[in-house]
């Protein structure tokens, strides 16, 4: 007679927790690593000496590599085990919007809030719309452009910001000691937030690699910056408007933008939506 072999786990079968379901780690699947809380989209999976790993990218472009351990990730708040995707297409989880947030499908645009976000010019507004348009419609936030910041104090006064009508402003080239910084300080208050990026123009907030150039040219002081950029890049046959459309067409998502702009726009959206419902 053969002796029986026993499993060392004496937990009754009906009390054992069911294993976490397996989900294919398809590109752009959004998951959270349970141990660290890091949330991001799947970039790739790799086979290493220590086992399978998955690389996640968050909305700010930061990459983290995690082992694909059983039940180590959360999908819609529930533990899952990520596995390498099969060759055939598989059902996908939540998709990212261009801004890196989880896309809300089937939702109608929310009625516009009283709060607003102002940006300096048309190009800024078009870039914000292309990357954050989905988020703005879900939140009911309208973006308008100023055509410069010189008249910002009068515009803020006419807007009359209030706790239920906050105003956020995005300024180009907001650096210490600049004219823009002095204007920003004069209007900032509990219901007005002025933030900015260090670039001379929002064109520079697009990564050069996305545009297909080695870097943004340095334009001598006294020259029109956009005209100088076009000349240096060999785009002299384009108007600045046509050049901008070429740049804008190279932007597909937040991955194509510099983090100095990404963080500021996210900050403004959070600020104007922090009102009582």
């Amino acid at each position: 007679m053969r002796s029986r072999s026993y499993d060392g786990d004496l937990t009754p079968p009906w009390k054992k927790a069911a294993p976490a379901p397996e989900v294919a780690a398809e590109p752009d699947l959004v998951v959270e690593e349970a141990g660290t809380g890091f949330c991001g989209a799947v970039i790739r999976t790799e086979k290493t000496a220590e086992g399978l790993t998955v690389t996640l990218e968050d909305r700010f472009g930061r990459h983290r590599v995690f082992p694909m351990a059983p039940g180590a990730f959360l999908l819609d708040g529930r533990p899952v085990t990520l596995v390498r995707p099969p060759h055939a297409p598989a059902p996908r989880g939540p998709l990212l919007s261009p801004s890196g947030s989880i896309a809300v499908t089937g939702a109608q645009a929310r009625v516009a809030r009283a709060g607003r976000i102002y940006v300096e010019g048309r190009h800024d507004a078009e870039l914000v719309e292309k990357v954050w348009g989905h988020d703005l419609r879900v939140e009911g936030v309208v973006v308008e452009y100023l055509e410069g910041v010189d008249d910002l104090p009068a515009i803020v006064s006419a807007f009359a910001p209030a706790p239920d009508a906050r105003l956020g402003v995005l300024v180009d080239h907001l650096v210490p000691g600049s004219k823009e910084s002095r204007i920003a300080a004069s209007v900032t208050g509990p219901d007005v937030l002025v933030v900015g990026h260090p670039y001379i123009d929002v064109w520079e907030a697009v990564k050069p690699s996305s545009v297909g150039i080695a870097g943004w040219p340095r334009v001598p002081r006294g020259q029109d910056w956009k005209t100088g950029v076009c000349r240096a890049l060999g785009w002299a046959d384009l108007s600045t408007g046509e050049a901008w459309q070429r740049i804008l067409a190279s932007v597909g998502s937040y991955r194509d933008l510099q983090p100095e702009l990404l963080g500021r726009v996210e900050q403004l959206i959070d600020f104007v939506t922090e009102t009582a419902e």
Side-chain angles (χ1 to χ4, degrees):
M1 178 183 294
R2 292 182 300 175
S3 63
R4 293 182 181 181
S5 61
Y6 291 92
D7 187 346
D9 184 359
L10 301 180
T11 305
W14 59 88
K15 289 189 176 182
K16 291 183 179 180
E22 293 185 350
V23 175
E26 297 283 352
D28 288 340
L29 177 74
V30 180
V31 295
E32 177 183 343
E33 202 280 324
T36 63
F38 187 90
C39 184
V42 172
I43 299 299
R44 61 183 172 273
T45 59
E46 295 178 294
K47 187 175 182 180
T48 71
E50 290 75 28
L52 295 177
T53 65
V54 60
T55 301
L56 303 182
E57 180 182 59
D58 72 4
R59 66 194 313 173
F60 298 108
R62 295 174 297 200
H63 287 195
R64 293 280 299 273
V65 180
F66 298 101
M68 294 167 64
F73 299 88
L74 302 178
L75 178 62
D76 293 332
R78 298 187 177 185
V80 297
T81 297
L82 292 184
V83 296
R84 298 189 82 178
H87 296 296
R92 301 173 72 173
L95 297 180
L96 294 178
S97 72
S99 73
S101 64
I102 296 178
V104 179
T105 58
Q108 295 184 343
R110 178 173 175 165
V111 175
R113 294 173 181 265
R116 291 287 187 274
I117 292 177
Y118 286 164
V119 296
E120 279 209 47
R122 181 184 295 273
H123 294 178
D124 306 69
E126 291 176 345
L127 185 60
V128 169
E129 164 59 29
K130 185 162 188 180
V131 177
W132 287 274
H134 171 82
D135 307 61
L136 294 168
R137 283 184 285 276
V138 169
E139 295 291 347
V141 178
V142 175
V143 174
E144 302 179 11
Y145 63 92
L146 301 168
E147 293 291 5
V149 297
D150 290 346
D151 296 328
L152 184 57
I155 292 171
V156 172
S157 177
F159 184 86
D164 60 347
R166 285 180 156 188
L167 181 60
V169 184
L170 179 69
V171 177
D172 296 340
H173 199 232
L174 188 63
V175 295
S178 65
K179 174 190 72 174
E180 291 83 1
S181 67
R182 292 190 292 272
I183 293 174
S186 72
V187 300
T188 298
D191 301 312
V192 181
L193 176 66
V194 182
V195 298
H197 55 74
Y199 306 112
I200 294 174
D201 190 273
V202 76
W203 289 19
E204 282 191 293
V206 180
K207 291 180 179 178
S209 57
S210 297
V211 184
I213 59 177
W216 289 105
R218 298 181 68 88
V219 178
R221 295 182 75 114
Q223 291 187 21
D224 178 75
W225 188 84
K226 292 177 181 176
T227 302
V229 166
C230 290
R231 186 182 300 115
L233 293 178
W235 297 353
D237 58 326
L238 301 180
S239 67
T240 56
E242 291 170 331
W244 167 244
Q245 290 306 314
R246 175 180 291 187
I247 296 166
L248 186 62
S250 71
V251 176
S253 74
Y254 71 97
R255 295 184 179 94
D256 298 307
L257 302 181
Q258 300 287 8
E260 291 84 353
L261 177 66
L262 291 173
R264 301 295 76 75
V265 175
E266 297 284 349
Q267 187 179 358
L268 290 177
I269 294 175
D270 289 344
F271 179 78
V272 300
T273 56
E274 283 177 358
T275 55
E277 296 292 341

